[in-house]
Amino acid sequence: MIKSQNLRGAFTLIELLVVVAIIALLISILLPALQEAREQGKVTRCLGNFKNLTTAAVQYFLEHNDNFPAMVSNIGNTYAVCPWAFGGATASDRWRTGFAGVPANIYYLPVQTRPFNKYLLGADPEPDMVINGVISKRSEVPQLRCPSDTFSSANRSTADPNPDPVASYIDVGTSYHYNLTALFGSSYNNIAFNSSAGVPYWPEFFRRLTRDVLARHSSTFTMFLEDPMNYNVLALQPGFGYHRKFNKHVTGYLDGHAAYTVADTRGYCGPGWTAINPSWVYKIGLNEAPKPAPIAYSVSNGGPTRERKNCDPPR
């Protein structure tokens, strides 16, 4: 006697749907972990970039008597200094032509004029390829490009009401900015700084800050910081860093280390970091006599209350 067997040759629709649902569930579980791992790789690359940057800075300081390249611009009696002058690729063409009240060329810095570049690249950078007055190929400085860079604070803070979204590296030539917040509100010999009378003091501000930081705060002062943190600490507001974490940013210090750290940018300081020079700070509420130091944060509105440039908790 021969028995017949009913062999199954395919899944039923219900079984197929169950398999698809399981695969979708696994993907939803694993995908965030994969994205996190990928972003962590970008964090590691940024940390390496910051270490290269701080090494280049120290080399520059050794050869230039601790002078930071302030690179003050003066176009049509408008004086300016910007946090990307130290290094990076050539700024985008809008800075050359001017826009929305920003004078032409005042912040336009070609790659070969940025003093840190030869230390970052190991040689003088090659000029951009220019055809008929337009850059057809820009010389790159990859050490100053964050792989997660999608934000330009310079683009966002200009008078243009509808700026195009653009990466900081594309806009100004670097994803990482020099910490100018530490200089704002400073007074030199108790003469309040302003854009006309105070311009001669900019190089002195830079020099004093660099020497003070190297001597006393090299492991905590954020000499260089990623663009979103630069924007947020200046505005004293919280926000996301390049790497998708709230109030977490990559920073570089002149003792040579870099860190991916929590930084509550509603204030100027936090555990392990400071965006201002503690040596220049007046304590809030104390009607102190002027410090003997040449530079300190200035008096607010000419009255006894000092500017809120301090390391108190956020208010």
Side-chain angles (χ1 to χ4, degrees), residues 198-308:
V199 166
Y201 299 123
W202 267 118
E204 185 66 15
F205 284 153
F206 277 92
R207 184 182 303 110
R208 295 286 180 144
L209 178 64
T210 299
R211 290 179 177 177
D212 227 18
V213 169
L214 283 169
R216 299 189 248 184
H217 312 294
S218 63
S219 64
T220 56
F221 177 76
T222 55
M223 180 66 82
F224 301 101
L225 58 171
E226 62 179 20
D227 189 355
M229 182 177 177
N230 179 62
Y231 182 87
N232 289 330
V233 77
L234 183 61
L236 291 179
Q237 66 183 23
F240 285 88
Y242 274 145
H243 301 286
R244 304 177 185 178
K245 297 292 185 181
F246 189 71
N247 273 355
K248 196 167 184 181
H249 305 275
V250 184
T251 49
Y253 307 83
L254 285 185
D255 68 345
H257 88 280
Y260 185 40
T261 187
V262 173
D264 186 346
T265 47
R266 292 176 298 167
Y268 291 110
C269 312
W273 69 275
T274 173
I276 55 176
N277 182 358
S279 301
W280 295 355
V281 170
Y282 283 109
K283 293 183 179 179
I284 295 298
L286 297 180
N287 190 9
E288 301 179 70
K291 288 188 176 183
I295 297 178
Y297 293 122
S298 61
V299 176
S300 219
N301 300 321
T305 304
R306 306 296 173 179
E307 282 190 344
R308 291 187 178 274

Side-chain angles (χ1 to χ4, degrees), residues 42-283:
K42 294 178 180 179
V43 170
T44 301
R45 182 173 167 185
C46 270
L47 289 169
N49 287 346
F50 270 101
K51 289 180 180 179
N52 288 332
L53 177 53
T54 55
T55 298
V58 171
Q59 290 175 330
Y60 182 91
F61 295 149
L62 287 173
E63 294 185 14
H64 295 82
N65 195 27
D66 294 340
N67 290 320
F68 192 91
M71 302 195 67
V72 177
S73 300
N74 179 7
I75 304 292
N77 293 322
T78 298
Y79 295 92
V81 62
C82 62
W84 58 83
F86 65 89
T90 301
S92 66
D93 202 54
R94 72 193 190 108
W95 299 100
R96 180 182 64 83
T97 58
F99 60 96
V102 177
N105 290 312
I106 194 165
Y107 298 115
Y108 183 72
L109 297 159
V111 64
Q112 66 268 27
T113 67
R114 302 192 183 203
F116 279 17
N117 282 352
K118 74 173 184 177
Y119 300 92
L120 290 164
L121 299 171
D124 289 330
E126 294 184 4
D128 303 311
M129 184 181 295
V130 179
I131 298 177
N132 295 326
V134 178
I135 296 176
S136 60
K137 185 178 185 302
R138 187 168 76 163
S139 294
E140 303 296 340
V141 185
Q143 295 89 340
L144 295 184
R145 184 170 197 170
C146 171
S148 295
D149 179 358
T150 58
F151 174 95
S152 173
S153 62
N155 190 41
R156 177 176 170 181
S157 60
T158 58
D160 187 349
N162 298 299
D164 294 329
V166 64
S168 179
Y169 180 82
I170 300 300
D171 188 28
V172 300
T174 175
S175 303
Y176 315 123
H177 287 208
Y178 172 75
N179 181 5
L180 276 181
T181 299
L183 296 174
F184 294 152
S186 303
S187 62
Y188 181 70
N189 288 333
N190 301 312
I191 301 173
F193 172 83
N194 60 65
S195 61
S196 57
V199 166
Y201 299 123
W202 267 118
E204 185 66 15
F205 284 153
F206 277 92
R207 184 182 303 110
R208 295 286 180 144
L209 178 64
T210 299
R211 290 179 177 177
D212 227 18
V213 169
L214 283 169
R216 299 189 248 184
H217 312 294
S218 63
S219 64
T220 56
F221 177 76
T222 55
M223 180 66 82
F224 301 101
L225 58 171
E226 62 179 20
D227 189 355
M229 182 177 177
N230 179 62
Y231 182 87
N232 289 330
V233 77
L234 183 61
L236 291 179
Q237 66 183 23
F240 285 88
Y242 274 145
H243 301 286
R244 304 177 185 178
K245 297 292 185 181
F246 189 71
N247 273 355
K248 196 167 184 181
H249 305 275
V250 184
T251 49
Y253 307 83
L254 285 185
D255 68 345
H257 88 280
Y260 185 40
T261 187
V262 173
D264 186 346
T265 47
R266 292 176 298 167
Y268 291 110
C269 312
W273 69 275
T274 173
I276 55 176
N277 182 358
S279 301
W280 295 355
V281 170
Y282 283 109
K283 293 183 179 179

